[in-house]
Amino acid sequence: MKAFIRGVIPTLLLITTCMVDIPIFPLDLVPEAQAIFGVRRRTAVVAYSAGKSSGAAAASASQQQAAAAQQQAAMAEQEAAAAKQQAAIAQQQATGVQATSGAPLGTVIEVLPSGCVPVTVGKTQYQKCDSTFYRAAFMGNKLVYVAVENPLQ
């Protein structure tokens, strides 16, 4: 009998404490949270945390907008650099400036010819294909090779 009572009393206490939180039952142990000194109301805490999360969401949205603007600026800069490089190539081709006996200076190729040898001058690496030197460059996000003057001279 004592074991039964030891099991029933905690169960009844648990059920009673759960019923206090259910709004259907009119049972209130403390009618207002303000009645207890030092206890904040739950609504104030919820409102504060909701305000804090909306502020964080706004900050996140502004960071995303800033990142998108920065990415667009980088894309525009890449396009401007590609246009400038193409204009330089066209100008060099118009003047007829050429390397000693290879491709015209500023010629852009996507794949190196076979038999190229890497040559490092300073901290820049060139590819020597026959008598033409190529330097690796990016056009947009694509790796290309540009014919340059002989860096060994």
Side-chain angles (χ1 to χ4, degrees), residues 45-57:
V45 174
V46 170
Y48 172 73
S49 64
K52 188 176 181 181
S53 66
S54 66

Side-chain angles (χ1 to χ4, degrees), residues 5-144:
I5 292 175
R6 285 184 188 168
V8 169
I9 291 177
T11 305
L12 287 175
L13 288 173
L14 180 64
I15 291 172
T16 305
T17 56
C18 290
M19 288 175 54
V20 171
D21 287 336
I22 299 174
I24 297 171
F25 300 108
L27 180 62
D28 282 335
L29 295 179
V30 178
E32 292 288 329
Q34 296 171 344
I36 300 174
F37 181 72
V39 176
R40 290 188 293 179
R41 295 182 67 164
R42 281 192 244 173
T43 56
V45 174
V46 170
Y48 172 73
S49 64
K52 188 176 181 181
S53 66
S54 66
S60 175
S62 66
Q63 286 177 347
Q64 287 177 349
Q65 288 176 349
Q70 189 177 21
Q71 186 178 16
Q72 287 176 348
M75 293 277 290
E77 189 176 314
Q78 283 181 348
E79 289 174 3
K84 186 176 179 181
Q85 186 178 20
Q86 287 175 352
I89 292 169
Q91 183 182 10
Q92 287 177 352
Q93 288 175 347
T95 59
V97 176
Q98 291 189 354
T100 45
S101 65
L105 292 178
T107 302
V108 178
I109 59 173
E110 295 179 4
V111 180
L112 288 172
S114 61
C116 294
V117 178
V119 176
T120 303
V121 177
K123 291 186 179 181
T124 307
Q125 184 172 10
Y126 298 93
Q127 299 291 329
K128 182 180 180 190
C129 306
D130 295 326
S131 62
T132 305
F133 286 85
Y134 292 96
R135 187 189 78 225
F138 282 99
M139 186 175 281
N141 60 353
K142 193 176 197 179
L143 178 66
V144 294

